[in-house]
Amino acid sequence: MARKKKKQEIILTPEQQREADYQKAVRRMEGAEKMLQPEDKVHMYREAIRMFDELGDYEDSEARKKRCKKRLPLARREHREEVYQTGMRLKTDAKCASDYDAAIAQFRRLRHEYKDIPEQIEVCRQLKQQALKQERMKNAGKKLVVAALFAAIIGFAAFLCSPAAFYLEGSFLMSVQDYERANTLFAKSRGYKDTKDRMVECNYQRAVLAAQNGDFKKAVKLLQEKVGNYKDAPERKAQYEKKLLAQAEIGDTVTYGNAKWLVADGAEQKRLLVRKNRSGQKPYIKMQDRTRYGKVPYCVHG
C-alpha cells in the first residue's frame, strides 16, 4: 500500500505573511458587516480591529481599523438592546421560578450598564418569590388531592366488602332475575335492611325457575328448606311433589310432606310408598299392611 505523501509546507516571506494577515483582517471586517446577529457583529469587529492594529501602517490597515471602531458602538448598542429585549420577553412569558432565573441571567449579561437593568432584576426576584409560593401551594394541593384520592380508594375498597355493597349488588342482580347470584350476595349481607325477605324471595323464584326447567327435586328442596310458608309455597310444593312422584320409578327415594319415601311399587298413576326409618336403615313392608292399603294413589305407610 502506497504511503500518503505529506503536504509540502509552504513557507511565506515576511511580506507575504503580512499580506495574508491583511486579507484575513479584511475578511473579518466584511464578515462583520454581513452578520445578522448583533453579538456576532461585535465579535467580528473586535477581531478585525485587533488584526488591523497588529498590521500597523500596512496598506490601508489604519483606515480600516478606524472604520471598524466607528461601526463597533452601533453593533454593541444593537447587541445590548437585543439582550435587553430577550430578558424582557423571558420575564413576561415566565410561568415558574426557573423562568425568572433565566430572565435574570439574561439581564446580567449586560452587567447592569444598560437602561433599567438593576430594577428589572429586582422585579424578577420578587416575581420569582411569588412563583415559588404558588408552586409550594400547588404541590401541597396535589399532595392533598393524592391523599384524598388514596383515602377514597381505601374507603371504596372497604365499602365493597361491606354488607351495604353486597346488598346493593344483590338487589341489582335480583332486578335482572339472576336469583342464584343475588342469593349468594344477600347471604353476605345478613342482618342488613330487608336482606332476609329478599333471600326468601330469591329462593322462591329459584324454585319456580327450577320447576319450569323440569327440576322438581330442586324446586321441592328449595321450597321446603329455604322458603317455608312464603306466598303460595306450600301449594307449589305439593304440586311439585306430585310431579316428582309421577316421574319416580320403583326403588327411587322421593320427598313427600316432611319425610323421605321409598317407591315400593306402582302402576299407572298409583304408587306404594314406604317411609324410610329415621335411623337410615333399609325400609321394609309388612304383607298385611300392603293387603290392607292395597295399591291406591299415593298410599303411604310407615
Side-chain angles (χ1 to χ4, degrees):
M1 184 176 178
R3 293 183 179 180
K4 291 182 179 181
K5 292 183 179 180
K6 292 184 179 180
K7 289 184 179 181
Q8 199 171 23
E9 191 175 339
I10 299 174
I11 300 175
L12 301 176
T13 63
E15 187 63 26
Q16 290 174 330
Q17 185 63 52
R18 291 191 74 189
E19 177 62 22
D21 292 341
Y22 172 78
Q23 293 298 331
K24 194 174 182 180
V26 171
R27 287 196 296 273
R28 285 283 189 282
M29 178 180 173
E30 292 175 349
E33 293 170 353
K34 296 177 182 178
M35 286 291 172
L36 297 177
Q37 298 297 327
E39 186 176 6
D40 296 333
K41 281 185 179 182
V42 171
H43 175 72
M44 296 287 279
Y45 276 130
R46 284 175 177 172
E47 281 290 307
I49 290 170
R50 181 186 62 76
M51 295 173 73
F52 284 129
D53 189 56
E54 290 177 354
L55 289 168
D57 58 353
Y58 183 76
E59 296 287 344
D60 59 346
S61 296
E62 191 65 30
R64 286 181 177 274
K65 182 176 73 173
K66 289 180 180 179
R67 194 185 309 168
C68 288
K69 284 185 175 181
K70 184 177 180 180
R71 294 176 180 177
L72 179 60
L74 177 61
R76 188 182 290 116
R77 284 195 297 272
E78 290 177 354
H79 170 55
R80 288 176 178 175
E81 183 63 21
E82 182 185 53
V83 172
Y84 180 82
Q85 293 301 331
T86 300
M88 293 295 290
R89 185 171 62 256
L90 289 171
K91 185 190 80 171
T92 303
D93 298 341
K95 295 180 180 179
C96 60
S98 60
D99 292 341
Y100 290 110
D101 284 334
I104 292 172
Q106 185 70 10
F107 286 134
R108 281 178 174 170
R109 292 179 61 189
L110 300 178
R111 300 179 182 177
H112 301 186
E113 59 185 23
Y114 187 74
K115 290 187 176 181
D116 58 345
I117 293 295
E119 291 80 3
Q120 292 297 339
I121 291 176
E122 183 59 30
V123 170
C124 285
R125 285 174 176 167
Q126 294 176 3
L127 292 173
K128 176 186 174 182
Q129 292 302 318
Q130 294 178 10
L132 285 172
K133 289 181 181 179
Q134 292 177 354
E135 288 173 11
R136 291 192 195 102
M137 291 177 64
K138 189 176 181 180
N139 290 333
K142 286 181 179 179
K143 290 180 180 179
L144 287 174
V145 170
V146 171
L149 182 61
F150 184 69
I153 291 172
I154 293 176
F156 183 66
F159 171 75
L160 289 178
C161 299
S162 67
F166 293 128
Y167 178 86
L168 288 174
E169 190 175 356
S171 299
F172 170 75
L173 292 173
M174 188 177 177
S175 68
V176 296
Q177 299 182 353
D178 190 349
Y179 300 110
E180 194 81 32
R181 292 172 59 195
N183 189 63
T184 302
L185 290 170
F186 283 135
K188 298 179 181 180
S189 61
R190 293 181 187 276
Y192 186 78
K193 292 187 176 180
D194 59 342
T195 297
K196 184 177 179 180
D197 296 336
R198 286 179 178 264
M199 288 182 70
V200 173
E201 175 65 21
C202 283
N203 287 316
Y204 175 83
Q205 295 297 339
R206 288 171 65 197
V208 172
L209 290 174
Q212 290 175 359
N213 294 327
D215 192 351
F216 297 107
K217 185 175 181 180
K218 179 179 179 180
V220 169
K221 183 177 181 181
L222 285 169
L223 292 174
Q224 181 173 335
E225 297 179 1
K226 304 290 185 180
V227 180
N229 295 322
Y230 181 72
K231 291 185 177 179
D232 60 344
E235 293 80 4
R236 284 184 177 274
K237 179 172 173 290
Q239 179 185 350
Y240 298 155
E241 284 175 342
K242 290 181 180 181
K243 294 282 187 182
L244 198 58
L245 285 170
Q247 296 175 354
E249 297 180 358
I250 296 174
D252 290 347
T253 299
V254 296
T255 301
Y256 192 82
N258 295 323
K260 292 187 180 294
W261 303 83
L262 178 71
V263 179
D265 197 358
E268 298 179 357
Q269 298 300 318
K270 300 177 181 180
R271 293 289 185 274
L272 177 62
L273 306 181
V274 179
R275 185 168 61 185
K276 285 189 172 183
N277 296 332
R278 294 183 180 179
S279 61
Q281 295 176 355
K282 186 176 179 180
Y284 63 92
I285 305 174
K286 292 182 180 180
M287 293 302 294
Q288 62 270 26
D289 293 333
R290 183 172 180 179
T291 302
R292 176 184 173 187
Y293 288 101
K295 295 182 179 179
V296 294
Y298 309 109
C299 177
V300 296
H301 169 67

